[in-house]
Amino acid sequence: MNESARPIDPIREAIQIFLNLKARIIDRLGDNKLSETIGSKLRTRSREIPEMILDLGLVPTLSFCLAKAGINNVRRVIHAMEREDDKSINVDDTVKYAYALYTYAILKYLTLITGDQVEELLEKDEVIKFLKKLVETNAQVPLYNILQPYLIQFKRVCEATYRPEEELR
């Protein structure tokens, strides 16, 4: 589990990870309309994905998110979030990047819980190996129970910050 002496607070972590995503990626896109669009699409993902996890399971839902985002987009988000460089992300598909941002948010929290390092997921096939590890340790159900308060809080901060996609049209 986590090596730190302080217990992981899902509410605090959801807020912190959201604020980091917003500051390091969304707000730095250089285009307010694009930032608002990505934020609204992230809001939508935060509302849809927890229900999918309940219906399909954690690993199948994460696999779906990876497929929708594209593994390279997830790696770009991980790189932007975990490395101290000033490169901005080039967004060519707002839906894919919203999935990539949300996938990062889940992976970041899961790695905090499991004691893994999210930066390790930058290496080839490491995200898939991490999913395999979740399946092999039979940790999906207990992890979802731990993940649920985090996902709810992450959804709440997304809802408080960004408008629904329908309002942007």
Side-chain angles (χ1 to χ4, degrees), residues 58-59 131-144:
L58 179 60
V59 172
L131 295 180
K132 183 179 179 207
K133 175 184 168 183
L134 293 176
V135 170
E136 288 175 348
T137 59
N138 219 3
Q140 293 182 74
V141 173
L143 277 179
Y144 179 72

Side-chain angles (χ1 to χ4, degrees), residues 17 29 36-37 40 47 49 51 56 59 63 71 78-79 96 105 133 137-139 143 154 163 169:
I17 291 169
L29 291 173
E36 187 63 32
T37 299
S40 289
R47 294 171 57 86
I49 301 304
E51 190 70 32
L56 303 175
V59 172
S63 299
I71 192 78
I78 292 171
H79 187 270
K96 284 184 180 183
K133 175 184 168 183
T137 59
N138 219 3
L143 277 179
F154 193 88
R163 296 183 299 168
R169 295 183 185 133

Side-chain angles (χ1 to χ4, degrees), residues 6-159:
R6 182 183 74 197
I8 296 172
D9 178 355
I11 307 306
R12 185 186 72 243
E13 293 299 335
I15 293 167
Q16 190 59 56
I17 291 169
F18 171 81
L19 290 173
N20 289 345
L21 276 171
K22 186 174 181 315
R24 291 198 47 83
I25 295 181
I26 298 172
D27 290 348
R28 293 177 62 195
L29 291 173
D31 176 343
N32 287 341
K33 185 175 181 186
L34 180 60
S35 294
E36 187 63 32
T37 299
I38 292 283
S40 289
K41 290 183 183 302
L42 176 62
R43 179 186 193 275
T44 300
R45 304 295 81 78
S46 75
R47 294 171 57 86
E48 294 173 345
I49 301 304
E51 190 70 32
M52 281 183 81
I53 293 171
L54 273 177
D55 292 344
L56 303 175
L58 179 60
V59 172
T61 302
L62 276 172
S63 299
F64 170 81
C65 290
L66 285 167
K68 293 296 272 186
I71 192 78
N72 288 331
N73 292 332
V74 173
R75 283 193 188 115
R76 284 185 195 114
V77 169
I78 292 171
H79 187 270
M81 293 299 296
E82 302 300 322
R83 305 272 167 89
E84 293 297 325
D85 64 23
D86 286 336
K87 287 199 293 190
S88 63
I89 290 183
N90 181 26
V91 176
D92 54 356
D93 184 323
T94 56
V95 172
K96 284 184 180 183
Y97 275 93
Y99 272 104
L101 293 170
Y102 195 73
T103 302
Y104 167 83
I106 293 174
L107 290 173
K108 178 67 175 177
Y109 188 67
L110 284 173
T111 57
L112 289 173
I113 293 168
T114 62
D116 293 291
Q117 298 295 316
V118 75
E119 303 91 79
E120 294 170 359
L121 303 181
L122 283 168
E123 301 302 320
K124 184 175 171 41
D125 297 329
E126 289 303 312
V127 173
I128 305 305
K129 288 177 185 175
F130 182 70
L131 295 180
K132 183 179 179 207
K133 175 184 168 183
L134 293 176
V135 170
E136 288 175 348
T137 59
N138 219 3
Q140 293 182 74
V141 173
L143 277 179
Y144 179 72
N145 293 337
I146 294 169
L147 190 60
Q148 188 177 21
Y150 168 82
L151 295 175
I152 291 168
Q153 183 61 36
F154 193 88
K155 177 185 79 151
R156 287 178 180 151
V157 294
C158 285
E159 290 173 332

